[in-house]
Amino acid sequence: MSYEAVIGLEVHVQLLTNSKIFCGCSAAFGGAPNTHVCPVCLGMPGVLPVLNRRAVEYTVRMALAVDGQVAHISRFARKNYFYPDLPKGYQISQYDRAGEPLSTGGSVTVETDRGPRVIRLRRIHLEEEAGKSLHGEPGYDPYLSYIDYNRTGVPLMEIVTEPDIRTPQEASACLAHLRQMLQYIGVCDGNMEEGSLRCDANVSIRKTGEPYGELVEIKNMNSMRALERAVSYEIERQTETRERGETLIRETRLWDDGARRTFPMRGKEQASDYRYFPDPDLVAVEIENRWVEAIHAGLPELPAARAGRLEKTLGLSADQSRTITETRTRADYFETCVTHHPDARAVFNWMTSELPRVQSEARLDTDALTAHIPPAHLAELLDLVREGSISGKIGKDVLDQMGITGKTARQIVTEQGLTQISDTDALETLVVRTLADNPAEVEAYRAGKTKLLAFFVGQVMKATQGKANPAMVSEMLKKKLETM
Ligand code: ADP
Ligand code: MG
Ligand code: ZN
């Protein structure tokens, strides 16, 4: 008797607009408490909200990226509830019935353990962020609660999936996919620790063939891993509850990542609990086709398409293309580098194995690394290695120095005389000397221990501080040893 999980996600996305959704206050993260506020976002009597056009544009952008149907007319509704972090006593939101969402439908194709899976989307809508309550935070009186309204009114886009997800891993893969798209199209920084991307998971179980079961909504996961853990825990808890013969109830539960379990928070509210009604202070939003077309034309190439193109045109594997297009910055770096250097695989290898090392050794963030080693500079280094002017090993040292100094490869190679020794006469002398210095090893080699070739090559490389051309040295040694 095995159960199947049924999972749907509600993803909350803080949009990267400069100002808040209904007023001109800064939407920037942080700031001294209650400094990004005004009568509108504090809910003072008599004020009127004015919709931020950019917030709508960003939502339409996401809608188009997932093939959603953008609404011609969209409305805002009031969702009424009382909580100290909500000074108006209602949240301006959109809702299926009282306020048509900006987008309906669409889907994403997510890479999962079971291969690509299509997850349909139910809707994408726009709403406003609530404030932040502080209890027992360092620097505050532990017996008091504080409220910071800086976040109040920051534009929040909500993406709701259909219950098409079946495993915890698929849930986190779906969230990772959405985050990648949001970052690519430049509407959200995707920072889950700072809360600019948050996700609630709706989880139920059923036996194959049964209709969907009663769902539990889980909140408060602030990383991909926490989402995966919380969903796994919840599936297990629901399975055990059902196996005990108990009935599962619709409720909202909170994930505690420290305790690794969910706790009941409240019975799952019904829509009627919120007394949704159209916001009388806001007019309906009419979205012109022309504007939608312009937004569509401005969309960047999306990660999956970009990976496919790189795979096809540059001979990278599917995995490599996916890795290199993980972020738009990385894909841009790669593509610029490849316009300067012909070997795409070499660019891939150096970007994925050498650059991260240099970055951590030089303690640079990604922007600083790119400033020290712009793509054209990496390409020049790879040119030097490819044409044999320096060995791969010297190349790595040169890259280290590029990371620290910001100099070009050619500058470093010239300044330090690192050019590879490919001069036959010079190498010949070294090879002869190395063999003369190691008579016992020569004897052993000739007795059949041909693995010693690597030892001789190593000796020559050491004598030249790595500057000898290893392929040439190896060739010459072999010839000499065979004719001795
Ligand atoms: P709404 O909040 O729009 O009225 P629901 O509460 O039914 O709609 O759905 C909210 C979320 O719950 C969606 O992401 C949806 O995919 C998911 N969901 C709906 N039914 C189930 C179910 N039986 N099991 C798990 N998730 C579900
Ligand atoms: Mg809901
Ligand atoms: Zn304001």
Side-chain angles (χ1 to χ4, degrees), residues 6-10 95-97 122-123 160-164 202-205 212-216 250 268 271:
V6 173
I7 304 155
L9 299 180
E10 294 168 279
Y95 184 72
D96 285 357
R97 277 141 272 184
R122 188 174 279 188
R123 63 168 188 269
V160 183
T161 79
E162 290 292 343
D164 287 347
N202 300 275
V203 180
S204 66
I205 55 166
Y212 287 159
E214 203 67 272
L215 71 84
V216 167
R250 186 173 172 122
K268 171 93 180 144

Side-chain angles (χ1 to χ4, degrees), residues 62 66 104-108 119-124 159-162 164 174 178:
M62 186 57 181
V66 296
T104 47
S107 67
V108 287
I119 313 291
R120 291 167 303 152
L121 301 182
R122 188 174 279 188
R123 63 168 188 269
I124 302 177
I159 306 167
V160 183
T161 79
E162 290 292 343
D164 287 347
C174 180
L178 289 170

Side-chain angles (χ1 to χ4, degrees), residues 164 171 195 233 283 373 480:
D164 287 347
Y233 172 87
V283 293
I373 312 178
K480 273 261 149 28

Side-chain angles (χ1 to χ4, degrees), residues 30-90:
N34 300 309
T35 53
H36 303 168
V37 293
C38 74
V40 175
C41 54
L42 289 175
M44 298 296 175
V47 297
L48 286 173
V50 178
L51 180 60
N52 181 334
R53 182 186 173 91
R54 188 51 59 81
V56 178
E57 180 187 333
Y58 283 2
T59 308
V60 172
R61 222 188 258 181
M62 186 57 181
L64 294 172
V66 296
D67 292 322
Q69 183 64 46
V70 177
H72 291 296
I73 301 281
S74 178
R75 279 175 237 277
F76 287 93
R78 290 187 182 180
K79 178 179 179 178
N80 298 280
Y81 65 94
F82 173 78
Y83 205 72
D85 66 13
L86 189 72
K88 291 200 297 289
Y90 60 87

Side-chain angles (χ1 to χ4, degrees), residues 107-338:
S107 67
V108 287
T109 305
V110 176
E111 291 299 328
T112 72
D113 289 350
R114 295 192 284 161
R117 299 258 308 154
V118 175
I119 313 291
R120 291 167 303 152
L121 301 182
R122 188 174 279 188
R123 63 168 188 269
I124 302 177
H125 74 235
L126 199 50
E127 59 189 32
E128 57 180 341
E129 181 73 281
K132 198 178 157 102
S133 312
L134 307 164
H135 319 278
E137 230 83 354
Y140 294 88
D141 185 333
Y143 295 100
L144 296 177
S145 284
Y146 296 78
I147 300 165
D148 178 5
Y149 287 122
N150 283 352
R151 255 184 30 170
T152 311
V154 166
L156 204 58
M157 175 170 77
E158 182 173 343
I159 306 167
V160 183
T161 79
E162 290 292 343
D164 287 347
I165 299 165
R166 292 291 173 268
T167 70
Q169 189 268 334
E170 278 175 30
S172 68
C174 180
L175 181 59
H177 184 100
L178 289 170
R179 176 167 73 168
Q180 186 193 35
M181 290 188 99
L182 293 162
Q183 289 172 328
Y184 252 77
I185 64 173
V187 304
C188 176
D189 62 22
N191 190 329
M192 292 187 77
E193 292 77 48
E194 287 179 0
S196 44
L197 184 73
R198 304 190 296 274
C199 175
D200 301 338
N202 300 275
V203 180
S204 66
I205 55 166
R206 64 169 175 181
K207 284 186 188 148
T208 328
E210 281 180 359
Y212 287 159
E214 203 67 272
L215 71 84
V216 167
E217 182 179 11
I218 324 171
K219 292 184 175 295
N220 200 37
M221 292 84 69
N222 42 25
S223 69
M224 299 286 166
R225 199 175 312 146
L227 169 65
E228 218 170 303
R229 282 194 197 126
V231 172
S232 298
Y233 172 87
E234 190 53 28
I235 294 169
E236 221 168 283
R237 188 192 67 83
Q238 290 185 19
T239 305
E240 282 166 13
T241 308
R242 234 188 106 165
E243 284 293 289
R244 279 199 303 271
E246 289 167 32
T247 313
L248 287 157
I249 49 159
R250 186 173 172 122
E251 61 178 342
T252 299
R253 299 176 71 92
L254 274 187
W255 171 247
D256 181 334
D257 206 46
R260 296 279 169 90
R261 49 168 297 195
T262 60
F263 293 92
M265 180 169 117
R266 58 171 186 243
K268 171 93 180 144
E269 66 288 346
Q270 300 296 318
S272 55
D273 296 340
Y274 289 121
R275 298 181 294 123
Y276 278 97
F277 64 89
D279 192 305
D281 289 343
L282 285 158
V283 293
V285 185
E286 193 180 335
I287 298 176
E288 290 181 351
N289 275 335
R290 265 198 332 210
W291 193 37
V292 176
E293 280 156 22
I295 295 171
H296 195 258
L299 275 185
E301 187 181 20
L302 296 173
R306 196 164 187 185
R309 178 172 58 79
L310 295 183
E311 189 185 340
K312 219 173 282 151
T313 58
L314 295 174
L316 296 184
S317 72
D319 259 0
Q320 289 174 326
S321 326
R322 219 174 292 132
T323 305
I324 215 68
T325 52
E326 215 162 83
T327 67
R328 200 170 148 189
T329 325
R330 192 193 287 188
D332 288 346
Y333 188 103
F334 176 78
E335 289 213 64
T336 311
C337 204
V338 169

